[in-house]
Each structure stands twice: as structure tokens, then as C-alpha cells.
Amino acid sequence: MGGSSPAIGILALQGDVFEHRRMLESLGATVVEVRGVRDLAGLQGLVIPGGESSVMDKLTRLFDLVEPLRGAIDEGLPVLGTCAGMIMLAKDLVDGIDGQETLGGLDISVQRNAFGAQRESFDTRLSVKGVAGEPMDVSFIRAPVVTRVGPGVQVLASLEDGRVVAVDDSQCMALAFHPEVSGDSRLHEAFVKRAGNYPPLPGDLPTTLA
């Protein structure tokens, strides 16, 4: 499978899976909800949704998904992470709970819950590099921010105060906000095109790294 209808998985252990599914399917992707290792077979891309990153970390370990996911990312699988997904993709985490781990994949440091509590959530319009036309409508919900950007990682968007909220290294794209909630599909559309150029994952992924 490939081209205009790539198979894209959504890590469906916790978080706003439905909103991503609805948007990806509207763009022509074939969506697979990932809850176990066997769900990774044939995928050309993966979305890690928003939610609670500490819970997501615990569940990926509980379901033996950590090493297969790290392996697939190391092999080049395109990944889009939003909010908690950004945290899961970060190399380094600030203000995580005791023992919290990430999958890694992006050479960034991320501060968890950088905007405060749920009541501090807000909607805004944001100019994003590479997105043509009007600024994007986006929602920040108990969002993280990027505090360090490594070599090879491009900043796609920052707030007016300079805080970095979107990055991309041409494989992994991470967003502190939720376009799948506000309904602006342009970054998802770019990700679907990226996934369409990636060969499907094999069906015999190891459960542990060699």
C-alpha cells in the first residue's frame, strides 16, 4: 500500500485518537489503531496523539510497544506527535514524573505542562513554516514547549514570546498544539504525503531491539 492512501497508525492506548482518525481518513489515509506490536505491520506512518504523556509511557511499556516503536522510528518511520506525542518523541524531558521515559526520535528537549493547568488552555492562530495561506487555527491544551532544538531539527513555529511550539527533522514532526481539534488539516495533509513515500513496515518486527 502506498501513494495517495498510505497506511497510518495512531497509537491508540490513550488520548484523542478519534480526532486524528477523522482527519486522516478525510485526507484519504488508511487508518490503523495501534494497541499491540502486530498492529505495526504494514504501516507507513504513525501518529502519537495528545493525552497524558505519563500514562501513555506506562501503557506503551505495559503492552511491550516501547522497543518495537523505538526500532521503527530508528529505521525511519515517519511520525507525527501532537502535545503528549511531542513529549513522547523528545530525546530529553523536563518536568516529567518520576521514572517517566520517552520513545525519542527527535533531538529536542521538551518541558511538560509548560503552560500550566487545563484552565490555561487556549486557541490561537499561528503561522507555520511550510504551510501556505492564512495562519493555522490551533488549540493549546495543557501543552508542552520545546526548550532545546538539536542540529538537524527545524523550528516550524514559535509563539510571539519566542517559545518554540512546532519542530520537524524531515522524519518526525512534533506539535505542541492540536490542529486535529481546531480542524485545520494542512499539517496532517503534509504528513500523509510524507507517509506515502515510506515503504510499509514488515510484519515480523522484533519485540526487543537486537
Side-chain angles (χ1 to χ4, degrees):
M1 188 173 295
S4 61
S5 184
I8 297 180
I10 304 174
L11 188 61
L13 303 177
Q14 195 262 350
D16 62 338
V17 176
F18 171 79
E19 290 82 358
H20 281 288
R21 177 165 197 142
R22 178 175 57 190
M23 184 166 281
L24 290 168
E25 288 180 336
S26 75
L27 295 168
T30 300
V31 176
V32 177
E33 294 190 4
V34 175
R35 298 186 177 87
V37 176
R38 69 178 61 182
D39 299 323
L40 298 174
L43 294 187
Q44 297 168 267
L46 177 72
V47 171
I48 305 178
E52 176 50 61
S53 62
S54 60
V55 175
M56 207 174 290
D57 167 46
K58 291 176 181 176
L59 292 176
T60 53
R61 285 188 269 171
L62 179 66
F63 290 95
D64 295 325
L65 275 165
V66 173
E67 297 307 336
L69 287 173
R70 285 176 176 165
I73 294 170
D74 286 346
E75 290 297 319
L77 179 71
V79 184
L80 170 65
T82 60
C83 198
M86 168 184 267
I87 294 171
M88 293 293 285
L89 283 172
K91 181 177 181 180
D92 302 306
L93 174 60
V94 179
D95 291 341
I97 67 169
D98 288 346
Q100 183 172 351
E101 298 180 6
T102 69
L103 296 172
L106 260 176
D107 186 14
I108 58 173
S109 299
V110 168
Q111 181 181 2
R112 178 173 168 265
N113 294 344
F115 293 88
Q118 187 86 10
R119 62 179 178 275
E120 308 298 332
S121 301
F122 61 97
D123 295 334
T124 190
R125 306 197 82 197
L126 191 66
S127 294
V128 179
K129 189 174 295 184
V131 175
E134 294 293 317
M136 293 187 68
D137 294 316
V138 296
S139 298
F140 286 82
I141 304 172
R142 211 171 50 160
V145 295
V146 178
T147 58
R148 181 191 63 84
V149 179
V153 179
Q154 181 184 30
V155 174
L156 296 183
S158 302
L159 297 175
E160 290 184 356
D161 62 9
R163 285 185 287 184
V164 175
V165 292
V167 293
D168 183 24
D169 72 353
S170 300
Q171 177 198 346
C172 297
M173 184 190 304
L175 315 173
F177 49 83
H178 294 264
E180 78 282 2
V181 171
S182 53
D184 195 317
S185 65
R186 285 176 284 177
L187 284 172
H188 282 72
E189 184 176 2
F191 181 70
V192 169
K193 290 179 180 176
R194 181 179 296 181
N197 293 322
Y198 189 75
L201 289 177
D204 57 349
L205 286 171
T207 55
T208 58
L209 289 176

